[in-house]
């Protein structure tokens, strides 16, 4: 990612969504642009699924409709994020290249009639994506409407892994580059186990379904290979566009809703991070998952403003129960993304499709038309964002980081782990949620990056930890940092092999302990811990997991009362250099995490914000002022301390402001800025 932040050449906060006029007659286009102006829409994404309409047969292009569309949008002052349609190749492509179809792990060859790219390793697909991306870029590089390029759609879904013959050949090439010799591959994969030793490169294959559990090191490398191949497809298109066009180029990520791509690596390849986020309807506090996605999007981009490329005005159509958003919820969601660093609020999609698989998905113009709650809220949100223009470019600053490492998640998710109850997503959410409730803003970070700016670093799930990354965490603590490590971390190296010296050995000096044995609990069984720290005592509850710890310097903060670890250490703190390493060997419940984290905050010098329950407050720091963004998820009005001007109402704020139940407020404060 370039250091100069190449925000699209347009005013203010971007507002709009995916636009699919190819599904509608011309008279609707005219109505659309008029309604876009009414709603304050200033950016739409077009062409994302239009390959069959733009290239009607191999090498035969029809740009007439897109010419007309871009001119129409430009004439109405609406900028364009121009998509490349490569997430959905046309029927003619698959008919001409049947071997480009994706093969699943169990050998099923994917058919046509849905969407989904071809094999990431198909030579024919690579040629075809470069041809269409080049043709689009050549034609529209200078079009005044185009301010941004949107390559593909959500790499990794619905097509990620491919077990086809061309993928197997490409996997071998990738492995030869990584390992150089078969001996090195055999050693890294531990192929002496179950007699898997390879004597010929040609015998190395993709980890297709097999009689039992396939070598986890091979599967981990296959996950890395898949991510790499998908990224090469992106890079091929990006470079084809860049040969003609100078606008910034992005591709829409899926933050915490897809695990197939390593967002940290992808963020280095795009000019601007963009993300799609959909609330998980079954989660009554979906706003917490939303905040995780937003913080992750900001973090992978190094803190720069990012684009919320898609979210929904109301219900989606692909969950078991698609819950409509309640009045005000769309605005709260949008302002939360903005608070956490987004400078663009876009939706899937502008106008609800009458036909096709997504006809029950909400849109900015629902099937009910403009005489609807959703439309009125869309218009109101456009007006609100217009008042928040000056926030653009300001930054979010966090004192606390949570480690988020996709490669570790890929490894942890493989089969035959000690307990199905151990989940990285669950633990990250649990710790994040505690900080969210305490009003503490969080960045996500990699274990190997410079962490010295953070007062507190939490590792809720760092199953895989290389020796180098462990040394980095140790330096962080010795230099004065406070580190919290949760159980089932620092277990394996980058090949999914257990560390010499046993579990947690690379962090032995940092934490003052190792783990002798895992003690997973039976389904549903709970355990109690006796907490005793800084003169305070309490009984805490955990479940799922205990460990048998061997201490080498750590002080005991909590002891197991019952369970297989009864009377042994459960939570510890170790002084290391100028800092401290905390270790938590069970799955504490929310209350227990509250007690733990209060002690950790005190140790790290981090202060909870003390906002009323259910009120989310995040500060964006501008050059001249701080912006306090408050989102009230509760039903009752809540009071927030601030002084300055509330930008949505234009009213002065003297000392405090009441934020209505379900409402939002954005205060430009008299303090801050320029730091
Ligand atoms: C996204 C996708 C969109 C649309 C949306 C529906 O994942 O990028 O094209 O399908 O989901 O929620």
């Amino acid at each position: 990612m370039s250091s100069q932040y190449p925000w699209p050449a347009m005013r203010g906060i971007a507002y709009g969504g995916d636009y699919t006029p190819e599904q509608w007659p011309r008279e609707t286009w005219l109505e659309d642009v008029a309604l876009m102006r009414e709603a304050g829409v200033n950016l739409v994404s077009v062409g994302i699924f239009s390959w069959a309409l733009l290239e009607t047969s191999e090498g035969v292009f029809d740009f007439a409709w897109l010419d007309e569309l871009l001119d129409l949008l430009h004439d109405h002052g609406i900028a364009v994020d121009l998509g490349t349609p490569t997430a959905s190749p046309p029927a003619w492509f698959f008919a001409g290249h049947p071997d480009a179809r994706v093969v699943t792990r169990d050998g099923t060859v994917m058919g046509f009639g849905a969407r989904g790219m071809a094999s990431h390793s198909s030579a024919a697909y690579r040629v075809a994506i470069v041809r269409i991306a080049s043709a689009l870029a050549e034609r529209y590089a200078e079009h005044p409407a185009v301010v941004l390029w949107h390559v593909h759609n959500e790499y990794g879904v619905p097509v990620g892994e491919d077990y086809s013959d061309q993928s197997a050949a490409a996997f071998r090439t990738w492995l030869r580059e990584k390992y150089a010799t078969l001996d090195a591959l055999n050693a890294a994969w531990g192929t002496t186990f179950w007699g898997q030793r390879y004597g010929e490169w040609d015998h190395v294959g993709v980890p297709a379904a097999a009689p039992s559990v396939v070598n986890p090191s091979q599967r981990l490398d296959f996950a890395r290979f898949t991510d790499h191949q998908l990224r090469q497809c992106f890079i091929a298109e990006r470079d084809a566009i860049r040969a003609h066009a100078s606008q910034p180029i992005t591709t829409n990520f899926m933050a915490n809703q897809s695990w197939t791509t390593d967002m940290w690596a992808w963020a280095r390849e795009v000019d601007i991070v963009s993300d799609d986020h959909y609330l998980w309807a079954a989660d009554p506090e979906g706003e917490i998952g939303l905040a995780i996605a937003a913080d992750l999007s900001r973090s992978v981009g190094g803190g720069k403003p990012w684009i919320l490329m898609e979210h929904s005005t109301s219900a989606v159509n692909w969950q078991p129960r698609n819950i409509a958003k309640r009045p005000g919820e769309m605005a709260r969601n949008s302002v939360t993304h903005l608070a956490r660093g987004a400078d663009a609020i876009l939706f899937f999609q502008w106008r609800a499709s009458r036909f096709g698989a997504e006809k029950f998905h909400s849109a900015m113009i629902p099937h009910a038309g403009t005489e609807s709650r959703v439309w009125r809220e869309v218009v109101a949100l456009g007006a609100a964002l217009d008042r928040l223009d000056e926030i653009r470019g300001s930054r979010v600053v966090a004192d606390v980081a949570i480690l988020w490492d996709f490669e570790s998640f890929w490894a942890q998710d493989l089969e035959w782990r000690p307990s199905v109850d151990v989940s990285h997503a669950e633990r990250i959410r649990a710790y994040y949620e505690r900080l969210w409730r305490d009003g503490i803003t969080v960045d996500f970070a990699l274990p190997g990056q410079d962490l010295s700016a953070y007062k507190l670093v939490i590792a809720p799930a760092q199953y895989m930890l290389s020796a180098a990354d462990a040394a980095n965490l140790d330096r962080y603590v010795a230099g004065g940092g406070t580190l919290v490590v949760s159980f089932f971390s620092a277990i394996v190296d980058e090949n999914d092999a257990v560390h010499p010296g046993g579990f947690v050995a690379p962090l032995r000096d940092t934490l003052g302990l190792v783990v002798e044995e895992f003690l997973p609990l039976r389904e549903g069984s709970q355990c109690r811990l006796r907490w005793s720290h800084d003169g305070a005592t309490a009984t805490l509850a955990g479940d799922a997991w205990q460990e048998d710890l061997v201490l080498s310097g750590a002080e005991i903060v909590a002891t197991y009362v019952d369970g297989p670890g009864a009377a042994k250490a459960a939570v510890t703190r170790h002084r290391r250099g100028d800092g401290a390493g905390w270790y938590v060997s069970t799955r504490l419940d929310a209350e227990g995490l509250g007690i733990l984290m209060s002690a950790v905050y005190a140790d790290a010098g981090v202060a909870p914000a003390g906002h009323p329950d259910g009120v989310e407050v995040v500060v964006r720091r501008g050059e001249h002022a701080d912006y306090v963004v408050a989102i009230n998820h509760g039903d009752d009005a809540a009071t927030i301390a601030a002084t300055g001007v509330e930008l949505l109402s234009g009213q002065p704020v003297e000392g405090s402001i009441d934020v209505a139940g379900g409402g939002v407020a954005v205060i430009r404060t008299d303090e801050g800025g320029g730091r």
Side-chain angles (χ1 to χ4, degrees):
M1 188 182 270
S2 48
S3 55
Q4 184 64 31
Y5 182 59
W7 189 251
M10 54 186 298
R11 283 191 53 250
I13 304 293
Y15 184 53
D18 282 16
Y19 182 35
T20 50
E22 60 272 32
Q23 296 173 16
W24 297 92
R26 289 299 189 274
E27 56 269 26
T28 309
W29 295 20
L30 299 177
E31 187 184 308
D32 282 339
V33 287
L35 289 173
M36 283 176 191
R37 290 195 68 96
E38 185 181 329
V41 164
N42 56 13
L43 180 68
V44 291
S45 304
V46 302
I48 300 170
F49 294 105
S50 307
W51 197 343
L53 303 178
L54 291 168
E55 190 176 0
T56 50
S57 59
E58 190 162 325
V60 178
F61 297 101
D62 174 9
F63 289 120
W65 68 272
L66 192 53
D67 290 351
E68 190 186 335
L69 178 69
L70 296 194
D71 291 348
L72 177 71
L73 289 165
H74 184 61
D75 288 347
H76 288 80
I78 296 151
V80 168
D81 165 35
L82 187 52
T84 68
T86 53
S88 198
W92 58 254
F93 174 82
F94 287 109
H97 305 283
D99 55 351
R101 288 179 298 169
V102 168
V103 177
T104 62
R105 188 158 188 249
D106 63 4
T108 305
V109 181
M110 291 278 121
F112 186 74
R115 66 173 168 189
M117 64 187 277
S119 162
H120 49 55
S121 299
S122 155
Y125 178 67
R126 293 278 180 103
V127 168
I129 61 175
V130 168
R131 185 173 61 233
I132 183 72
S134 303
L136 282 164
E138 204 174 345
R139 189 166 188 94
Y140 298 113
E142 306 297 332
H143 196 290
V146 178
V147 296
L148 178 68
W149 291 90
H150 178 305
V151 171
H152 200 87
N153 192 65
E154 295 182 339
Y155 280 99
V157 288
V159 171
E161 291 184 340
D162 173 33
Y163 292 80
S164 66
D165 289 347
Q166 70 264 7
S167 182
F171 187 40
R172 279 189 287 277
T173 305
W174 184 86
L175 290 168
R176 284 181 101 126
E177 268 169 35
K178 178 168 181 180
Y179 292 111
T181 67
L182 263 186
D183 282 350
L185 178 141
N186 278 312
W189 286 8
T191 56
T192 48
F193 181 80
W194 280 355
Q196 295 165 0
R197 189 178 170 74
Y198 295 101
E200 302 271 347
W201 277 106
D202 281 352
H203 298 171
V204 181
V206 292
S212 182
V213 167
V214 172
N215 186 321
S217 314
Q218 179 183 2
R219 292 200 67 185
L220 177 58
D221 264 347
F222 190 66
R224 290 175 173 133
F225 158 79
T226 300
D227 174 55
H228 171 268
Q229 293 297 94
L230 292 170
R231 204 156 54 246
Q232 292 311 303
C233 290
F234 167 75
I235 289 170
E237 288 195 42
R238 180 200 65 191
D239 292 352
I241 294 169
R242 187 55 79 230
H244 302 282
S246 59
Q247 298 93 340
I249 302 173
T250 190
T251 182
N252 45 345
F253 299 160
M254 297 188 73
N256 54 339
Q257 300 191 315
S258 159
W259 309 97
T260 43
T261 52
D262 179 346
M263 279 177 77
W264 298 99
W266 284 75
R268 290 196 286 273
E269 303 295 344
V270 298
D271 293 318
I272 300 178
V273 166
S274 65
D275 188 54
D276 298 348
H277 182 266
Y278 291 95
L279 290 181
W280 185 245
D283 180 355
E285 289 185 302
E287 60 269 18
I288 301 177
L290 183 159
I292 293 175
D295 286 344
L296 184 60
S297 301
R298 181 186 71 251
S299 299
V300 296
K304 293 174 190 156
W306 53 280
I307 294 172
L308 177 67
M309 188 61 86
E310 293 179 21
H311 69 154
S312 65
T313 57
S314 189
V316 299
N317 65 307
W318 41 265
Q319 296 183 12
R321 291 171 193 82
N322 296 294
I323 308 299
K325 290 189 182 176
R326 303 317 303 141
E329 193 173 356
M330 177 189 77
R332 287 197 298 283
N333 294 165
S334 300
V335 171
T336 307
H337 285 292
L338 190 91
R340 296 181 182 276
D343 274 1
I345 303 297
L346 308 174
F347 291 93
F348 177 84
Q349 63 175 333
W350 164 251
R351 186 184 277 276
S353 299
R354 283 193 48 237
F355 41 78
E358 296 187 318
K359 55 184 167 293
F360 298 126
H361 197 289
S362 61
M364 297 171 85
I365 305 181
H367 292 298
T370 53
E371 295 300 319
S372 61
R373 173 188 70 82
V374 165
W375 174 252
R376 286 188 288 276
E377 291 194 23
V378 162
V379 173
L381 178 59
L385 294 178
D386 202 39
R387 300 207 170 101
L388 301 178
D389 270 14
E390 66 179 84
I391 285 181
R392 178 171 133 158
S394 59
R395 300 293 189 97
V396 176
V397 180
D399 287 338
V400 180
I402 290 181
L403 299 187
W404 183 291
D405 182 349
F406 288 96
E407 290 206 4
S408 178
F409 302 160
W410 298 338
Q412 185 175 340
D413 285 344
L414 294 171
E415 302 131 301
W416 285 7
R417 294 335 194 186
S419 168
V420 295
D421 294 328
V422 177
S423 148
H424 50 82
E426 185 281 331
R427 269 304 79 179
I428 288 183
R429 162 78 181 236
Y431 279 88
Y432 183 92
E433 191 169 320
R434 185 64 259 158
L435 287 142
W436 187 92
R437 294 192 195 290
D438 291 331
I440 297 171
T441 303
V442 166
D443 279 345
F444 288 99
L446 279 169
Q449 78 180 57
D450 178 7
L451 298 165
S452 56
Y454 298 109
K455 293 180 178 167
L456 171 62
V457 172
I458 304 168
Q462 192 63 49
Y463 163 70
M464 189 173 82
L465 184 70
S466 69
D469 287 353
N472 188 55
L473 295 180
D474 189 57
R475 266 194 306 278
Y476 164 73
V477 175
T482 301
L483 175 70
V484 178
V485 178
S486 179
F487 61 91
F488 207 49
S489 290
I491 305 300
V492 296
D493 67 11
E494 54 274 35
N495 295 319
D496 198 42
V498 173
H499 281 291
F503 310 135
V504 193
L507 291 176
R508 181 198 305 262
D509 295 342
T510 321
L511 301 173
L513 55 78
V514 289
V515 172
E516 182 175 320
E517 193 176 12
F518 302 141
L519 305 172
L521 303 185
R522 292 204 162 77
E523 186 176 7
S525 82
Q526 290 223 326
C527 64
R528 285 172 301 152
L529 293 70
R530 187 74 190 143
W531 171 275
S532 173
H533 179 67
D534 260 358
T537 57
T539 301
L540 276 53
D543 69 354
W545 190 265
Q546 294 185 346
E547 285 169 341
D548 192 349
L549 306 183
V550 180
L551 306 190
S552 53
E555 66 189 79
I556 297 175
V557 173
T559 307
Y560 288 114
V561 173
D562 47 22
K568 294 185 172 170
V571 178
T572 61
R573 177 184 181 275
H574 183 57
R575 198 189 299 267
R576 169 75 167 158
D578 296 331
W582 290 71
Y583 188 73
V584 185
S585 68
T586 188
R587 191 166 80 172
L588 289 176
D589 68 6
E591 205 182 318
L593 269 181
I595 291 169
L596 167 79
M597 292 310 292
S598 296
V600 168
Y601 297 155
D603 206 9
V606 172
H611 303 306
D613 280 355
V615 181
E616 189 174 351
V617 178
V618 185
V619 176
R620 284 187 65 157
R621 181 157 298 166
E623 258 179 53
H624 306 294
D626 279 358
Y627 300 93
V628 176
V629 186
I631 304 105
N632 186 354
H633 299 283
D635 293 333
D636 302 326
T639 306
I640 299 295
T643 295
V645 176
E646 203 285 313
L647 295 177
L648 297 170
S649 63
Q651 295 300 311
V653 178
E654 309 285 350
S656 71
I657 178 171
D658 287 343
V659 184
V664 299
V666 183
I667 304 110
R668 185 209 301 127
T669 66
D670 294 343
E671 306 107 36
R675 284 172 288 185

